[in-house]
Amino acid sequence: MTSEQNRQAAGPSERSAVVDLAAVQHNVGRLLDLARGRTLIAVVKADAYGHGAPQVARAALAAGAHMLGTAHVAEALALRAQGITAPVLAWLHTAATDFNAAVSQDVRLGLSGGELDLVLDAAREAGRPAVVHLKFDSGLGRNGATPAQWPRLLERVRRAESEGLLTVEGVFTHLAVADEPTRPETAEQLAAFQDAVRAAREAGLNPTLVHAANTPGLLSAADLPDPDAMLLDAVRVGLGLYGLSPFADRTPQEFGLVPAMTLRTRVANVKDVPAGAGVSYGLTYRTEGPTRLVLVPLGYADGVPRVATGAPVRIGDRIFPVVGRIAMDQCVVDLSLGRPVGAGAGDGRALESAPPTAGRDGAGPEADDGV
Ligand SMILES: *Cc1c(COP(=O)(O)O)cnc(C)c1O
């Protein structure tokens, strides 16, 4: 039996991830407002951050997103196989990337340089130009041509364009610290990128989509001295689609975003404990006073990050923090730490737990009073 089958045997409805596509659509509307007329590239890589790529892609496009973004060509082709015909850009290529399929199925390609010959071969094979977005490494140190490699790339690309093998639709870069708006590196990256774009135009290229901003870039643009230098022609937004804030000190609600995913389960156990009772591995948490502990049967094997101690768990109409370490398949909340829904800033919809059903082991009717 595979682990997937095991989980289903345990009852899929007892522990489920519920995705609210109306929230995704609401968020797209909000992000379009913030982007003030720029092209919105909805990033649906990694199965739309776990929310379901085809469903999220359709919802985002219906709400006004102009284009989709994926890491791998294979992810873009999977969208095509689902009948999604909108423009898609894929930017992370590996030895296994199928450039022929990408060109023939109209997938736009991020182009850093090393893959250029393979892309040109694919364009010849398909008998049509590959549509590319040149990627400039302005400081993240991952993909993209470095400033030293950039002039040579521009030269080769210009030649290929004149031979009808490439169409340069875009030029882009990716930011390293946009989620920490007080750091100076973002402005440095944008300045370096501006130089790179100027060089591309001087080399005879005519990109219509110049883009740099990810979610934190878009959300912080209004606070910058020159928002246009961040927003440019297009923004590539992932996290914001799903209603999450990239900033440690700012909630989604502050930006008008609504979290799209809820993890839902039923309480597995409830117990009364005295003051000083330890909770979970390492005993990193001890109860302040006599209280009641609730066992939630979700852990890091279910996708709850192991670092999510303190994360909000909604039980009934109150919110409780996870206390102690998150284990592989379970975590614990302390019922003495509850507050009403809406009383705190951090009420995401990350986790939701139904009160225990009366009569279950360890969760008698008495427990219902407390939760
Ligand atoms: C993942 C990714 C994004 C989206 O980032 P968010 O912070 O989730 O908006 C944008 N651009 C590139 C190149 C990415 O890899």
Side-chain angles (χ1 to χ4, degrees):
M1 209 187 214
T2 66
S3 57
E4 189 61 29
Q5 284 166 326
N6 263 322
R7 275 166 193 248
Q8 281 172 6
S13 65
E14 190 188 47
R15 299 178 297 133
S16 54
V18 181
V19 175
D20 179 0
L21 294 175
V24 171
Q25 297 201 306
H26 164 88
N27 295 331
V28 168
R30 183 72 195 116
L31 297 163
L32 283 167
D33 288 346
L34 290 167
R36 294 187 285 123
R38 272 73 173 193
T39 295
L40 179 67
I41 303 172
V43 179
V44 294
K45 64 191 180 189
D47 198 25
Y49 294 41
H51 293 65
Q55 296 88 337
V56 167
R58 281 199 194 88
L61 292 165
H66 305 94
M67 197 167 161
L68 302 169
T70 64
H72 295 278
V73 163
E75 296 173 304
L77 295 174
L79 294 171
R80 288 284 182 263
Q82 294 281 330
I84 294 170
T85 56
V88 187
L89 172 66
W91 51 72
L92 176 58
H93 313 310
T94 69
T97 298
D98 186 346
F99 291 110
N100 288 342
V103 175
S104 65
Q105 296 189 46
D106 195 24
V107 172
R108 284 135 166 93
L109 296 166
L111 193 79
S112 297
E115 67 288 75
L116 179 57
D117 286 331
L118 293 171
V119 172
L120 296 182
D121 286 346
R124 283 188 200 99
E125 175 89 8
R128 60 194 278 189
V131 181
V132 299
H133 290 216
L134 303 185
K135 186 155 193 192
F136 179 69
D137 181 1
S138 59
L140 180 60
R142 301 196 321 200
N143 256 329
T146 63
Q149 295 169 324
W150 192 242
R152 173 89 182 111
L153 177 63
L154 294 178
E155 209 176 289
R156 296 181 67 203
V157 162
R158 177 73 189 107
R159 192 176 328 125
E161 204 175 50
S162 66
E163 290 167 2
L165 295 173
L166 282 189
T167 300
V168 177
E169 179 182 64
V171 178
F172 73 119
T173 195
H174 198 32
L175 301 172
V177 296
D179 57 340
E180 300 174 73
T182 57
R183 289 181 64 162
E185 293 96 331
T186 299
E188 292 163 13
Q189 280 195 270
L190 292 174
F193 183 50
Q194 213 161 39
D195 291 344
V197 173
R198 194 176 308 117
R201 295 198 198 287
E202 283 167 8
L205 301 174
N206 189 20
T208 52
L209 288 178
V210 173
H211 47 110
N214 51 3
T215 297
L218 171 60
L219 296 181
S220 61
D223 301 327
L224 298 177
D226 181 11
D228 290 341
M230 174 68 86
L231 298 175
L232 300 166
D233 299 316
V235 295
R236 300 183 310 274
V237 178
L239 211 57
L241 290 181
Y242 311 104
L244 303 178
S245 167
F247 305 111
D249 58 348
R250 302 192 66 183
T251 65
Q253 287 76 11
E254 288 174 53
F255 299 103
L257 299 172
V258 177
M261 184 186 286
T262 305
L263 280 189
R264 197 172 281 163
T265 189
R266 284 186 179 280
V267 167
N269 192 20
V270 181
K271 64 170 64 161
D272 293 318
V273 295
V279 174
S280 194
Y281 295 129
L283 302 176
T284 56
Y285 178 79
R286 287 191 184 272
T287 56
E288 280 278 309
T291 183
R292 190 168 278 181
L293 297 177
V294 166
L295 186 64
V296 175
L298 289 172
Y300 56 79
D302 305 293
V304 179
R306 201 161 174 272
V307 294
T309 296
V313 179
R314 174 175 174 162
I315 305 177
D317 58 2
R318 291 174 74 76
I319 303 266
F320 305 88
V322 171
V323 296
R325 279 196 199 148
I326 292 179
M328 184 176 283
D329 33 41
Q330 46 202 296
C331 60
V332 175
V333 303
D334 179 340
L335 289 192
S336 67
L337 304 178
R339 58 182 166 75
V341 170
D347 293 357
R349 291 195 286 167
L351 259 177
E352 209 171 85
S353 195
T357 32
R360 278 179 58 125
D361 282 353
E366 206 187 289
D368 281 321
D369 299 337
V371 292

